Amino acid sequence: MGAFKLLSCALAVITLTSAAPLTLSHFKRSITNDTSSVSDQHFDYIIAGGGLTGLSVASRLSEDTDVTVLVIESGYDQQNDPRVYDVRTYGEAFETELDHAFKSTPISWRDGKQLSMVAGKMLGGSGSLNGASWTKGPKTQYDLLPLLTGDESWSFENFNEYMLRAEHFNTPDPDAPAIAKGAHYLSEYHGTSGPVEVSFADGMFGTVQLEAIEASQKVWPGLKVNADAASGIVNGVTTIPNQLNPDVEQNRSSAHTAYILSKDAVKRPNLTILTGQRVTKLLWDRKSGDLKASGVSFQHDENSKPISVITANRL
Ligand SMILES: Cc1cc2nc3c(=O)[nH]c(=O)nc-3n(C[C@H](O)[C@H](O)[C@H](O)COP(=O)(O)OP(=O)(O)OC[C@H]3O[C@@H](n4cnc5c(N)ncnc54)[C@H](O)[C@@H]3O)c2cc1C
Ligand SMILES: *[C@@H]1O[C@H](CO)[C@@H](O)[C@H](O)[C@H]1NC(C)=O
Ligand SMILES: *[C@@H]1O[C@H](CO)[C@@H](O)[C@H](O)[C@H]1NC(C)=O
Ligand SMILES: *[C@@H]1O[C@H](CO)[C@@H](O)[C@H](O)[C@H]1NC(C)=O
């Protein structure tokens, strides 16, 4: 287990009174680029990709101190980059080292050109470079999922319970600038005790929103103002909040800030987040008859040697 090995390293440093100026807090951080901190170890859960889903799941699983969790992410921790924490820079991260920039197949009606498809390459994934809009899809679409899954529990009502649980809606002051500029909401459709910070952006929310609402009603007579699309009824014209901290700087709230940094998951000895490594292969255990994933292979990039194989105990 990672904690044991890290702890024994720390003890070795202390007993040897090494000259290396390593502090204990150095050993406590879960985020590392160092593959030797995971090789030859077993983890209960291995998560390929430390994006929105990966980090949320890693955080929830590692709340249980009985399980060990490894996340392998191809990008790095980019939290101090303004293209990540400042949503107002939206678009500046595209086609940089923060973007996988996957290429589409050649498109015949675009002279055979390939399009770049944005996909975040860092902790928090696309959630660290997206538009940070916080809303929901139409209730009717969620309610079709049971037809696909055969499981009645995949309904809007049940999903909504978890969506509300993720959210920390920061109710704006009645005289907050965003309200004066046309922001509206209904409290009953927002969660208030989750880790993801959701706010109306006073700084961002001050340009064309009100005019856009009025203009769309002129263009489409009868278009209704929707009090809050988070209800699951999304038709009409409306305003939505963003994933932003409520303070004056309004930094982005992402899976990385909400589920790892603000929950101090980064200090959990049971959680290791390995960055700078791409998962290239899932390993399968066929012994039991059922196909069972038992580990992964990963490598830094296509030119480096595939390094380690890790066995997942519970995957
Ligand atoms: C430009 C843009 C704007 C968007 N705007 C909004 C918005 O305003 N509001 C909204 O709700 N949603 C928005 N979205 C969608 C939202 O960001 C995604 O739905 C969400 O991030 C998907 O989560 P995910 O965990 O599936 O993938 P991601 O969050 O993208 O995470 C995938 C992670 O896996 C890593 N990875 C991939 N392959 C490997 C591998 N082989 N090995 C190791 N790591 C790997 C990636 O680097 C990445 O960190 C936007 C998306 C984009 C691209
Ligand atoms: C990991 O590597 C990246 C890119 O070289 C670097 O910016 C970052 O500081 C490193 N992080 C750690 C925890 O070593
Ligand atoms: C996880 O960490 C806790 C301390 O937070 C420790 O008591 C426990 O033994 C660890 N579990 C595993 C499986 O390593
Ligand atoms: C916003 O994020 C940056 C980068 O992490 C940080 O330096 C800054 O202190 C944050 N602002 C606030 C108000 O927390």
Side-chain angles (χ1 to χ4, degrees):
M1 152 58 212
F4 178 77
K5 189 158 178 208
L6 294 181
L7 188 61
S8 53
C9 290
L11 289 175
V13 170
I14 291 160
T15 47
L16 293 170
T17 52
S18 155
L22 294 172
T23 61
L24 268 173
S25 65
H26 174 87
F27 289 97
K28 271 198 229 140
R29 256 186 89 83
S30 317
I31 303 171
T32 177
N33 295 339
D34 180 7
T35 55
S36 71
S37 67
V38 304
S39 52
D40 302 324
Q41 287 190 52
H42 289 237
F43 291 86
D44 294 318
Y45 296 97
I46 299 172
I47 298 172
L52 186 152
T53 317
L55 291 186
S56 309
V57 169
S59 177
R60 296 285 286 121
L61 285 171
S62 62
E63 280 173 15
D64 181 346
T65 54
D66 285 341
V67 306
T68 53
V69 179
L70 170 66
V71 178
I72 304 177
E73 165 57 39
S74 57
Y76 295 99
D77 180 355
Q78 305 285 7
Q79 199 44 47
N80 293 327
D81 189 321
R83 293 171 297 174
V84 174
Y85 69 76
D86 185 355
V87 181
R88 283 160 285 213
T89 66
Y90 179 73
E92 288 181 22
F94 300 175
E95 296 194 65
T96 69
E97 77 282 9
L98 305 177
D99 180 8
H100 286 281
F102 296 119
K103 290 282 172 283
S104 73
T105 50
I107 297 177
S108 57
W109 43 269
R110 301 263 317 227
D111 298 327
K113 280 205 196 93
Q114 292 173 285
L115 293 184
S116 179
M117 297 189 290
V118 179
K121 185 183 181 185
M122 68 194 106
L123 291 182
S126 300
S128 289
L129 55 62
N130 72 12
S133 296
W134 182 266
T135 188
K136 291 169 196 161
K139 176 181 182 303
T140 46
Q141 290 189 4
Y142 293 92
D143 283 340
L144 286 174
L145 288 171
L147 296 179
L148 297 173
T149 60
D151 182 342
E152 285 301 316
S153 71
W154 288 54
S155 64
F156 178 77
E157 200 188 323
N158 287 338
F159 270 108
N160 195 40
E161 190 189 321
Y162 291 94
M163 293 192 271
L164 294 177
R165 212 188 271 184
E167 176 180 10
H168 179 203
F169 183 66
N170 294 282
T171 307
D173 241 22
D175 47 26
I179 295 296
K181 289 165 187 162
H184 45 78
Y185 63 93
L186 296 172
S187 300
E188 65 259 43
Y189 300 121
H190 294 275
T192 50
S193 50
V196 180
E197 297 292 344
V198 175
S199 317
F200 283 108
D202 287 342
M204 291 164 61
F205 204 100
T207 48
V208 297
Q209 285 83 3
L210 201 51
E211 289 90 333
I213 288 178
E214 286 164 3
S216 27
Q217 286 182 300
K218 280 184 192 148
V219 175
W220 293 289
L223 183 70
K224 291 211 167 64
V225 172
N226 184 333
D228 197 331
S231 65
I233 309 287
V234 303
N235 293 339
V237 56
T238 193
T239 56
I240 53 170
N242 289 87
Q243 286 176 243
L244 299 168
N245 290 331
D247 59 59
V248 62
E249 285 185 33
Q250 301 207 302
N251 276 0
R252 178 192 294 280
S253 180
S254 66
H256 184 33
T257 66
Y259 282 94
I260 302 295
L261 301 178
S262 78
K263 283 182 159 279
D264 266 0
V266 82
K267 293 182 187 154
R268 289 180 193 155
N270 297 343
L271 173 64
T272 304
I273 302 174
L274 177 65
T275 48
Q277 300 294 329
R278 175 174 286 200
V279 174
T280 50
K281 212 176 184 184
L282 300 182
L283 306 173
W284 298 98
D285 176 4
R286 288 189 172 81
K287 269 178 282 169
S288 55
D290 293 336
L291 209 53
K292 196 174 141 199
S294 58
V296 299
S297 290
F298 59 84
Q299 61 191 121
H300 175 66
D301 61 32
E302 57 197 353
N303 301 316
S304 54
K305 228 175 72 197
I307 337 167
S308 297
V309 163
I310 297 157
T311 309
N313 298 335
R314 301 200 192 200
L315 253 183

